Amino acid sequence: MLVCLDFGDADFEENVAECADLVRSAGVAVLGVVTAKRQRPDAALFAGKGKVEEIAAEVRGLEANVVIFNHALSPAQERNLERALQCRVIDRNTLILDIFAQRARSHEGKLQVELAQLSHLATRLVRGWTHLERQKGGIGLRGPGETQLETDRRLLGNRVKMLKDRLAQAQRQRTTQRRGRNRSGVASVSIVGYTNAGKSTLFNSLTKARAYAADQLFATLDTTSRRLYLGPDSAVVISDTVGFIRNLPHTLVASFRATLEETVHADLLVHVVDSANPMRDMQIDEVNKVLAEIGADEIPQLLVWNKTDLRGLPPGIERDADGCVTAVRVSALTGEGLDLLREALAERTARSEPEISLAGLQVWDPLA
């Protein structure tokens, strides 16, 4: 059972549809959707007592076993709702974390997901063990004098520290690989965009790779990099990255910072947009917000209008007043416009090469 409350958002209907897509991506069947308008969330139940009673009746009638709120719930609200609805209650952040846990394939990806889950769980340990407020006493059963809650916090803290250490090691390895690419003089290009915009399909079409691509949200979690040849003397290293979504949990952004560093250190960002999606302008804004959060908002972007076949638009290149390529219209699925995209990538990555080589000649003096 989905619960989506309208707090005056202009794109509420699209938000509800996106929530349903998220739930289906998690492998859960949607039995019904409950919507309502409110000025502000209720402090105790988020949706208000009367609406919660209505949700409870729907849950009993449809025999639903989980209620998913398309909002971020506080730990207290989550507990109060589970007590009132007599079933499992999860919020939007928990749903996204669950999808990430299902999709992580690499060792680093699994570490990042677990760290995000534990960071989210840490706020939900309060009173989670009231039935074990004190560890059992008696001969041979006396604990170290801490409550079960304190024990859980300590064990969770130890696990978080271990995960951060392992991710720091993975980050050092990525830094070493990045330095090697920089020494080779090959430009770095990262594909970014809203989730399910067609990034992995475009990556596979360009590089002939076999990265997992599917018509579902967050199909890609693990960064994949390939060398892409653009001409006889031109090549770049292009990376496929995790997609973004509105209200992306901060714990996820923090946990995936090592992976997202491929984006931060890129020479060019290929911003893929689903041109057939009516919410494409909002999606562009949301992606730019996350890019600003990770410090990648100053990196040059090349906009790629994908899925033009669904709109009946011809492939093409768009330029600004100075003649610089700003956008390319393609269809990653059919391959239309990919030759234009390669030309645009060669042009955008070549523009900075003379400046870099000249700067190097000025600094290095063989007679010094």
Side-chain angles (χ1 to χ4, degrees):
M1 179 67 63
L2 304 188
V3 179
C4 304
L5 302 185
D6 184 3
F7 295 104
D9 299 327
D11 54 352
F12 176 69
E13 295 297 330
E14 291 82 1
N15 202 352
V16 173
E18 183 178 87
C19 176
D21 288 339
L22 270 176
V23 173
R24 283 188 283 269
S25 295
V28 179
V30 179
L31 298 181
V33 180
V34 175
T35 60
K37 283 191 175 183
R38 285 187 66 90
Q39 290 186 342
R40 64 184 66 88
D42 180 76
L45 296 169
F46 194 85
K49 186 176 180 181
K51 182 55 66 172
V52 169
E53 291 175 354
E54 178 186 331
I55 296 170
E58 291 283 345
V59 168
R60 289 192 298 269
L62 296 174
E63 298 182 354
N65 57 7
V66 63
V67 175
I68 301 175
F69 275 72
N70 188 30
H71 312 274
L73 301 175
S74 70
Q77 288 169 338
E78 205 169 284
R79 288 193 301 272
N80 293 339
L81 285 167
E82 287 187 344
R83 193 177 298 118
L85 299 176
Q86 293 296 304
C87 70
R88 177 88 191 280
V89 175
I90 65 174
D91 64 359
R92 179 186 175 87
N93 292 354
T94 306
L95 174 64
I96 294 176
L97 285 169
D98 185 77
I99 295 173
F100 272 51
Q102 293 181 39
R103 303 282 162 72
R105 293 291 179 268
S106 70
H107 176 65
E108 185 182 1
K110 291 176 181 178
L111 290 178
Q112 291 172 139
V113 170
E114 184 179 356
L115 178 59
Q117 287 178 320
L118 291 180
S119 300
H120 184 66
L121 179 64
T123 62
R124 280 153 169 74
L125 286 178
V126 180
R127 286 189 225 151
W129 296 90
T130 50
H131 61 295
L132 293 173
E133 189 58 31
R134 279 283 168 189
Q135 292 186 345
K136 293 180 180 179
I139 298 176
L141 296 176
R142 300 184 193 278
E146 59 185 7
T147 64
Q148 182 68 45
L149 175 59
E150 291 167 341
T151 302
D152 287 342
R153 280 181 173 158
R154 176 170 51 80
L155 295 175
L156 188 146
N158 293 339
R159 181 68 179 173
V160 167
K161 183 179 182 300
M162 185 272 291
L163 290 172
K164 287 183 176 179
D165 290 342
R166 289 189 180 180
L167 284 173
Q169 181 180 359
Q171 187 174 4
R172 288 192 293 270
Q173 292 173 348
R174 283 185 178 275
T175 302
T176 302
Q177 294 170 355
R178 196 179 301 116
R179 285 174 181 166
R181 291 202 300 266
N182 291 340
R183 283 195 297 267
S184 67
V186 178
S188 175
V189 176
S190 283
I191 300 177
V192 299
Y194 208 78
T195 181
N196 204 29
K199 298 181 299 299
S200 295
T201 303
L202 179 66
F203 178 78
N204 290 339
S205 299
L206 286 172
T207 64
K208 308 303 179 186
R210 296 182 179 178
Y212 180 68
D215 184 16
Q216 54 188 204
L217 303 184
F218 296 118
T220 301
L221 287 188
D222 303 312
T223 299
T224 306
S225 299
R226 292 287 188 275
R227 185 179 290 264
L228 174 63
Y229 293 95
L230 304 174
D233 301 314
S234 179
V236 296
V237 172
I238 190 165
S239 302
D240 184 24
T241 60
V242 61
F244 302 142
I245 197 170
R246 75 172 90 194
N247 302 323
L248 191 66
H250 290 284
T251 51
L252 274 180
V253 176
S255 300
F256 276 75
R257 191 166 294 278
T259 299
L260 294 174
E261 279 200 352
E262 289 293 332
T263 301
V264 176
H265 292 91
D267 299 305
L268 178 69
L269 300 181
V270 173
H271 187 164
V272 182
V273 181
D274 181 357
S275 63
N277 194 309
M279 296 191 297
R280 52 187 175 272
D281 292 334
M282 179 279 297
Q283 294 179 351
I284 292 174
D285 292 339
E286 291 296 329
V287 171
N288 288 330
K289 284 181 185 177
V290 179
L291 291 175
E293 187 174 346
I294 64 176
D297 51 330
E298 298 296 327
I299 300 175
Q301 287 190 23
L302 174 63
L303 206 62
V304 174
W305 297 105
N306 190 27
K307 305 184 183 181
T308 53
D309 54 311
L310 298 180
R311 298 188 62 192
L313 296 175
I317 291 181
E318 300 173 9
R319 298 179 181 271
D320 60 14
D322 298 325
C324 179
V325 177
T326 57
V328 184
R329 298 189 302 273
V330 305
S331 171
L333 189 63
T334 65
E336 294 179 343
L338 293 186
D339 53 339
L340 299 176
L341 178 56
R342 289 189 181 91
E343 292 177 17
L345 287 174
E347 183 177 329
R348 288 293 298 268
T349 55
R351 280 176 177 263
S352 59
E353 286 177 1
E355 299 175 9
I356 294 174
S357 60
L358 285 174
L361 288 174
Q362 291 171 359
V363 172
W364 180 66
D365 184 358
L367 300 179

